[in-house]
């Protein structure tokens, strides 16, 4: 009896301590009892071994027992169920000469815990059909059985089964118990039957805090925020889970400011804050870009010793990244003593969101050296960074990794790959990958639509968009940006206008600045500057800096000084440090020979310390990026590059090339202007590509600004003379030059 009491007291001690005490008692039993120990003592010993995780010892003891009883078998059955050893569990269950409710509960729990709720439901059906009798009484389901079955029905999402189980709970007299009530509320809420969940909650007597928490969770999951708030305020006693549920639910429903208010109340009332609360409130700060509040909560985590928690650390990295404080995110990440896949992914995504694609790739490589295997989201994130860098070489390597690791079929990875090839100018590869996908979501369609739009392929873009609608996939704002920009780049004004109205009327999408900019570009690019002006005056708000710059750029091309000055004045008001207004106005005055006006604008730039972003182009060769600026002579192969350029210039002149000096904003002789044009950055990058990139491969050049008219014409001649395909990705779109023709149709 003394040994049985010792074993009962150690049953609650999990892990190493429980195993050590159980082993010590077992030794004492073997040493002090000359005869075979009684079954009830061996049952206690088996249960103690099972609960402390020493399943092999429990099984060995069971096999050695001469007279195991129902308790013995149930103890081992429960241990096998907890260990998810389903075949062994089923064999033992089938061999049992008698079974009670505990036996069935263990079986149902084992199936449910192993992610097999359908098998749990079949086990329950067997219990109802069997006429099992133990100690003269028929075996009936218990509260534990019914609670397990509610959870199984919830996991299956089977409304019919859930309602049947609910009826049986009422018939068996368990309807008033919170033990079954809480799972019922949760089940109905997860199935979207929030009315049934509320009815179960309202009919329950003696509600405990668990029931309240479950009801609040269900209401928030169904976006019934006011009802959840009402239940929350009606509670007399709230625990930390209640507060955390409200903070998390409000954050997930896009009410981050309210989540912050609840967190402040929680803190003021002295409620214990755990890692999950910190994780949710930091997510809210990130969504609001509330860096000051985020810093305060960071300080709070340090004060409460949660800053070294892996869950909180990952949330801090994510928060700082979304607040555009990437160096703070990096500092938190580097201080983390333990990192998991979520931590690494948060840092990789953060770098990508902040335009630091190179760092994202570097951290991914560091993660691999640390022995952490990427999941689909991590791999998709680093591929997206390669797409933003237009780095096809590295992106292709990650494509290979996706194939080898088996992550290629995941939609996150597939979507990232379609985006990668689309942004790198390999639209045919992007479409092939899209066709190979077994399933397409909104992101898949949008990635391909945007890819074709960047090439200015309006027909293909619109055909894809219409196909997307026919498939029943709902477009979002990003999809429409792709469609509108494709119409703009092809001069399809009426079609673009129709899509803009459809976006609002048929799809309920409120236009953002990017949509308005697309419409301004649509009118401006087609020379309909008056319509662009009228559109802007009818807008519910003023355009952003990009919108005004778009109009001003079109005015420069069309020589419309009046609307151009209006656009420039508004651009200066919107963004005083934006150089576009000065540069484009300079260009307009220079084209008319008004050099005094040009000089005055340049003085204004100097006085206001406005700096124009210097133009540069780059090309990647053998994993190294080669960057060129105009008249650049710093490259090790500079002499060879300029020789190649001279040869190209002579060949182009023979073919009828005439330099377009309209983009040169200096009061110098035409000969000097021609010389300045001949050494533009993209021409240097193309010459480098012609020298080093193998002939069977296309030359891929990226430029940080819009390609000028002269370079565009020259690249067409170069592609014809050399017989090479040349892809140029400028600040706006892709240009694919092949045999003297550009994919943009000279409309850019």
């Amino acid at each position: 009896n003394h040994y049985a009491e010792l074993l009962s007291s150690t049953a609650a001690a999990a892990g190493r301590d429980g195993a050590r005490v159980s082993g010590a008692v077992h030794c004492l039993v073997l040493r002090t009892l000359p005869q075979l120990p009684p079954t009830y003592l061996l049952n206690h010993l088996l249960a103690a071994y099972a609960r402390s995780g020493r399943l092999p010892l429990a099984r060995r003891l069971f096999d050695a027992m001469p007279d195991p009883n129902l308790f013995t078998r149930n103890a081992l059955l429960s241990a096998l169920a907890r260990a998810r050893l389903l075949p062994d569990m089923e064999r033992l269950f089938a061999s049992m000469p008698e079974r009670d409710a505990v036996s069935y509960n263990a079986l149902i729990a084992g199936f449910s815990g192993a992610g097999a709720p359908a098998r749990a439901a079949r086990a329950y059906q067997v219990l109802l059909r069997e006429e099992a009798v133990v100690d003269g009484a028929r075996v009936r389901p218990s509260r534990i059985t019914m609670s397990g079955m509610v959870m199984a029905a919830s996991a299956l999402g089977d409304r019919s089964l859930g309602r049947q189980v609910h009826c049986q709970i009422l018939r068996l007299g368990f309807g008033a118990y919170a033990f079954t009530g809480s799972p019922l509320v949760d089940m109905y809420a997860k199935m979207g039957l929030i009315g049934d969940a509320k009815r179960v909650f309202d009919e329950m007597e003696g509600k405990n805090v668990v029931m309240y928490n479950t009801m609040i969770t269900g209401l928030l999951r169904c976006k019934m925020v006011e009802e959840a708030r009402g239940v929350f305020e009606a509670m007399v006693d709230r625990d930390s889970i209640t507060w955390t549920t409200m903070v998390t639910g409000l954050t997930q429903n896009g009410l981050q400011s309210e989540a912050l208010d609840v967190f402040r109340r929680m803190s003021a009332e002295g409620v214990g804050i755990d890692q999950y609360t910190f994780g949710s409130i930091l997510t809210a700060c990130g969504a609001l870009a509330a860096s000051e509040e985020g810093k305060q909560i960071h300080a709070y985590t340090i004060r409460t010793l949660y800053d070294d928690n892996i869950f909180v650390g990952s949330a801090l990295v994510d928060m700082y990244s979304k607040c555009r404080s990437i160096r703070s995110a990096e500092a938190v990440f580097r201080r983390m003593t333990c990192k998991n896949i979520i931590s690494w992914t948060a840092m990789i995504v953060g770098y990508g969101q902040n335009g630091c694609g190179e760092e994202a790739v570097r951290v991914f490589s560091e993660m691999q050296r640390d022995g952490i295997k990427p999941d689909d989201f991590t791999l998709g994130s680093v591929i997206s960074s390669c797409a933003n860098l237009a780095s096809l070489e590295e992106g292709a390597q990650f494509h290979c990794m996706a194939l080898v690791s088996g992550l290629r079929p995941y939609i996150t990875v597939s979507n990232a790959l379609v985006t990668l090839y689309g942004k790198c100018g390999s639209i045919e590869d992007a479409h092939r990958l899209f066709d190979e996908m077994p399933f397409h979501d909104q992101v898949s369609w949008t990635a391909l639509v945007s890819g074709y739009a960047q090439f200015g392929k309006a027909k293909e873009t619109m055909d894809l968009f219409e196909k997307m609608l026919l498939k029943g996939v709902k477009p979002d704002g990003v999809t429409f940006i792709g469609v509108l920009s494709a119409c703009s780049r092809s001069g399809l004004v009426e079609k673009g206008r129709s899509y803009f109205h459809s976006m609002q009327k048929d799809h309920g999408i409120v236009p953002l600045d990017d949509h308005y900019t697309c419409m301004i570009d649509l009118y401006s690019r087609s020379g309909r500057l008056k319509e662009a002006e009228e559109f802007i005056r009818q807008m519910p708000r003023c355009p952003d800096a990009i919108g005004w710059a778009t109009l001003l750029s079109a005015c420069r091309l069309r020589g419309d000084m009046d609307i151009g000055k209006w656009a420039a004045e508004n651009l200066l008001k919107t963004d005083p440090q934006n150089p576009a207004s000065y540069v484009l106005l300079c260009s307009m005055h220079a084209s008319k020979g008004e050099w005094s006006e040009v000089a005055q604008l340049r003085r204004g730039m100097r006085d206001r310390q406005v700096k124009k972003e210097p133009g540069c182009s780059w090309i990647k060769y053998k994993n190294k990026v080669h960057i060129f600026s105009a008249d650049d002579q710093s490259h090790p192969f500079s002499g060879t590059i300029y020789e190649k350029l001279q040869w190209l210039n002579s060949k182009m002149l023979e073919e009828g090339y005439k330099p377009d000096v309209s983009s040169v904003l200096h009061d110098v002789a035409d000969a000097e202007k021609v010389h300045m044009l001949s050494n533009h950055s993209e021409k240097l990058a193309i010459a480098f590509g012609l020298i080093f990139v193998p002939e069977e491969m296309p030359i891929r050049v990226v430029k940080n600004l819009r390609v000028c008219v002269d370079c565009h014409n020259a690249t067409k001649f170069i592609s014809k003379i050399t017989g090479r395909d040349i892809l140029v990705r400028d600040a706006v779109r892709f240009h694919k030059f092949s045999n003297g023709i550009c994919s943009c149709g000279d409309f850019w």
Side-chain angles (χ1 to χ4, degrees):
N1 288 338
H2 172 64
Y3 291 148
E5 286 176 15
L6 274 175
L7 291 166
S8 295
S9 66
T10 60
R16 195 172 296 172
D17 290 340
R20 184 170 51 79
V21 175
S22 302
V25 173
H26 194 179
C27 290
L28 283 170
V29 168
L30 294 173
R31 207 164 54 232
T32 57
L33 295 180
Q35 74 280 10
L36 192 70
T39 299
Y40 82 90
L41 179 57
L42 292 175
N43 284 345
H44 277 89
L45 186 57
L46 188 148
Y49 274 138
R51 287 197 180 93
S52 62
R54 303 291 291 274
L55 190 55
L57 288 175
R59 295 177 80 159
R60 196 180 307 160
L61 185 64
F62 177 84
D63 292 338
M65 287 175 69
D67 190 23
N69 57 21
L70 181 59
F71 181 92
T72 317
R73 293 185 174 90
N74 281 342
L76 184 59
L77 189 69
S78 298
L80 293 169
R82 281 195 298 274
R84 312 287 186 257
L85 297 171
L86 299 192
D88 294 345
M89 178 187 76
E90 288 181 280
R91 273 194 296 273
L92 177 59
F93 183 84
S95 69
M96 291 172 70
E98 59 177 352
R99 305 172 187 124
D100 62 3
V102 176
S103 316
Y104 282 96
N105 292 346
L107 192 67
I108 290 167
F111 284 132
S112 294
R119 297 175 74 184
R122 286 197 291 273
Y124 177 69
Q125 288 170 343
V126 172
L127 165 62
L128 295 179
R129 282 198 303 268
E130 277 195 355
E131 296 294 331
V133 176
V134 176
D135 295 333
R138 188 172 179 271
V139 176
R140 296 171 74 244
S142 67
R143 284 181 295 163
I144 296 171
T145 319
M146 302 317 296
S147 175
M149 275 311 301
V150 171
M151 287 187 248
S154 179
L156 287 167
D158 190 331
R159 293 184 176 188
S160 175
L161 176 62
R163 288 200 165 107
Q164 289 177 52
V165 172
H166 187 184
C167 289
Q168 288 178 336
I169 286 170
L170 296 173
R171 188 167 58 82
L172 292 165
F174 300 143
Y177 291 100
F179 191 80
T180 52
S182 287
L184 276 170
V185 170
D186 184 61
M187 176 193 76
Y188 281 128
K190 282 179 178 172
M191 290 177 177
L193 302 170
I194 196 65
D196 292 336
K198 192 79 168 65
R199 187 168 62 253
V200 172
F201 177 79
D202 292 338
E203 291 173 357
M204 192 69 58
E205 295 178 9
K207 302 178 188 72
N208 59 17
V209 71
V210 175
M211 279 217 65
Y212 275 100
N213 292 346
T214 306
M215 189 69 244
I216 291 169
T217 303
L219 289 166
L220 289 168
R221 190 184 288 127
C222 294
K223 302 191 181 301
M224 299 175 71
V225 176
E226 287 308 313
E227 290 82 352
R229 197 178 275 128
V231 174
F232 175 79
E233 297 298 345
M235 290 178 72
V236 178
D237 297 315
R238 306 183 187 103
D239 60 8
S240 63
I241 296 172
T242 316
W243 290 94
T244 301
T245 300
M246 280 302 293
V247 170
T248 305
L250 290 168
T251 302
Q252 290 172 345
N253 280 279
L255 301 168
Q256 291 87 4
S257 297
E258 288 88 336
L260 277 167
D261 292 338
V262 171
F263 179 79
R264 290 188 188 102
R265 282 178 61 190
M266 180 182 182
S267 179
E269 292 192 19
V271 181
I273 296 171
D274 61 13
Q275 59 177 347
Y276 303 108
T277 322
F278 280 126
S280 295
I281 200 62
L282 287 167
T283 300
C285 291
L288 290 168
S291 58
E292 286 306 311
E293 288 85 349
K295 286 175 185 175
Q296 291 171 26
I297 293 163
H298 187 182
Y300 198 166
T301 66
I302 294 169
R303 204 163 64 244
T304 52
L305 305 178
Y306 268 101
D307 59 313
D308 202 35
N309 179 284
I310 193 167
F311 186 83
V312 175
S314 302
L316 282 166
V317 171
D318 180 65
M319 182 273 295
Y320 279 122
S321 298
K322 285 177 177 166
C323 291
R324 300 293 175 188
S325 300
I326 193 63
R327 296 308 158 209
S328 298
E330 195 177 50
V332 171
F333 180 75
R334 293 300 170 197
R335 280 198 297 267
M336 289 176 70
T337 54
C338 182
K339 303 180 185 82
N340 61 9
I341 186 64
I342 297 169
S343 322
W344 288 99
T345 303
M347 193 69 253
I348 291 165
V349 171
Y351 277 132
Q353 289 171 340
N354 285 271
C356 304
E358 296 93 342
E359 285 92 337
V361 175
R362 176 178 53 77
V363 168
F364 184 89
S365 302
E366 197 179 319
M367 180 189 80
Q368 287 185 293
R369 286 195 297 272
D370 251 31
I372 306 289
K373 288 187 177 180
D375 61 10
D376 59 307
F377 192 70
T378 318
L379 190 56
S381 300
V382 77
I383 291 170
S384 296
S385 289
C386 292
N388 292 330
L389 290 169
S391 179
L392 186 60
E393 287 182 23
E394 285 172 323
Q397 290 173 32
F398 289 123
H399 187 177
C400 293
M401 183 185 292
L403 292 169
V404 172
S405 63
L407 294 173
R408 162 69 179 79
Y410 285 84
I411 196 158
T412 314
V413 177
S414 296
N415 287 343
L417 286 169
V418 171
T419 305
L420 167 77
Y421 286 108
K423 285 189 173 182
C424 290
S426 300
I427 195 65
E428 295 84 4
D429 291 330
H431 206 141
R432 179 178 51 78
L433 281 164
F434 179 86
D435 289 338
E436 289 172 2
M437 291 170 66
F439 168 76
H440 304 114
D441 64 3
Q442 184 189 76
V443 178
S444 320
W445 286 98
T446 300
L448 195 60
V449 164
S450 300
Y452 273 108
Q454 272 201 308
F455 264 98
K457 292 180 177 288
K459 183 182 183 304
E460 291 86 344
T461 303
M462 290 186 291
D463 287 348
L464 267 173
F465 180 72
E466 296 300 335
K467 203 178 289 184
M468 174 184 180
L469 296 179
L470 284 173
K471 294 279 184 181
V473 181
K474 189 174 174 60
D476 64 0
V478 181
T479 321
F480 274 101
I481 288 170
V483 174
L484 292 172
S485 61
C487 292
S488 169
R489 287 161 188 167
S490 300
L492 302 173
V493 177
E494 299 308 322
K495 199 72 180 171
R497 188 155 45 194
S498 169
Y499 280 126
F500 183 72
H501 293 313
S502 171
M503 177 183 82
Q504 300 169 78
K505 185 181 174 183
D506 301 331
H507 301 280
I509 297 170
V510 178
L512 301 175
D513 286 338
D514 287 342
H515 298 109
Y516 287 118
T517 299
C518 283
M519 290 302 294
I520 294 167
D521 190 44
L522 178 73
Y523 291 118
S524 304
R525 197 185 289 263
S526 298
R528 295 158 77 158
L529 297 174
K530 274 290 179 189
E531 288 181 66
E533 182 186 0
E534 288 169 16
F535 178 80
I536 290 170
R537 294 190 188 279
Q538 291 170 9
M539 281 171 57
R541 59 181 181 273
C542 282
D544 62 4
I546 300 171
W548 288 117
T550 300
L551 178 61
L552 182 54
S553 178
C555 290
R556 179 185 68 82
L557 288 171
R558 303 288 174 178
D560 192 321
M561 190 63 77
D562 293 335
I563 296 178
K565 283 183 177 178
W566 175 67
E569 287 166 6
N570 281 285
L571 178 55
L572 280 171
K573 286 178 190 173
T574 307
D575 186 1
Q577 292 300 305
N578 193 320
S581 54
Y582 296 97
V583 173
L584 291 169
L585 274 176
C586 277
S587 178
M588 291 173 75
H589 287 298
S591 65
K592 295 178 181 289
E594 298 168 355
W595 298 109
S596 59
E597 297 287 340
V598 173
Q600 188 178 336
L601 284 165
R602 284 182 176 153
R603 275 196 301 274
M605 285 182 74
R606 282 196 299 271
D607 294 343
R608 292 180 176 84
Q609 296 183 329
V610 177
K611 293 183 179 178
K612 176 184 178 292
E613 182 184 6
C616 66
S617 301
W618 59 94
I619 182 170
K620 198 164 188 179
Y621 176 64
K622 289 190 175 179
N623 287 324
K624 186 178 178 183
V625 178
H626 299 264
I627 304 172
F628 299 90
S629 57
D631 292 313
D632 191 352
Q633 301 205 17
S634 62
H635 196 277
F637 293 96
S638 185
T640 312
I641 291 167
Y642 278 96
E643 282 177 19
K644 188 72 172 177
L645 263 183
Q646 285 177 0
W647 179 82
L648 286 170
N649 279 326
S650 64
K651 288 290 182 184
M652 287 192 296
L653 290 168
E654 288 174 14
E655 290 287 329
Y657 161 69
K658 291 180 181 178
D660 187 326
V661 297
S662 62
S663 57
V664 179
L665 309 182
H666 297 278
D667 186 13
V668 294
D670 281 355
E672 182 61 23
K673 289 181 180 179
V674 170
H675 175 73
M676 293 166 78
L677 285 173
S678 64
N679 298 335
H680 270 191
S681 64
E682 52 263 62
K683 290 178 181 173
L684 296 171
I686 290 168
F688 174 90
L690 289 169
I691 296 164
F692 292 101
V693 176
E695 288 190 10
E696 63 274 11
M697 294 175 65
I699 295 164
R700 299 174 185 274
V701 173
V702 183
K703 184 175 171 67
N704 65 331
L705 303 176
R706 207 164 178 171
V707 65
C708 74
V709 176
D710 181 72
C711 286
H712 189 270
N713 291 338
T715 309
K716 288 197 295 181
F717 276 98
I718 293 169
S719 70
K720 184 179 180 182
I721 292 162
T722 60
R724 301 288 296 270
D725 285 351
I726 302 170
L727 279 157
V728 179
R729 176 179 166 180
D730 69 8
V732 179
R733 61 172 296 161
F734 263 108
H735 300 267
K736 183 177 181 180
F737 299 91
S738 185
N739 197 28
I741 298 170
C742 180
S743 59
C744 74
D746 297 338
F747 190 85
W748 85 103

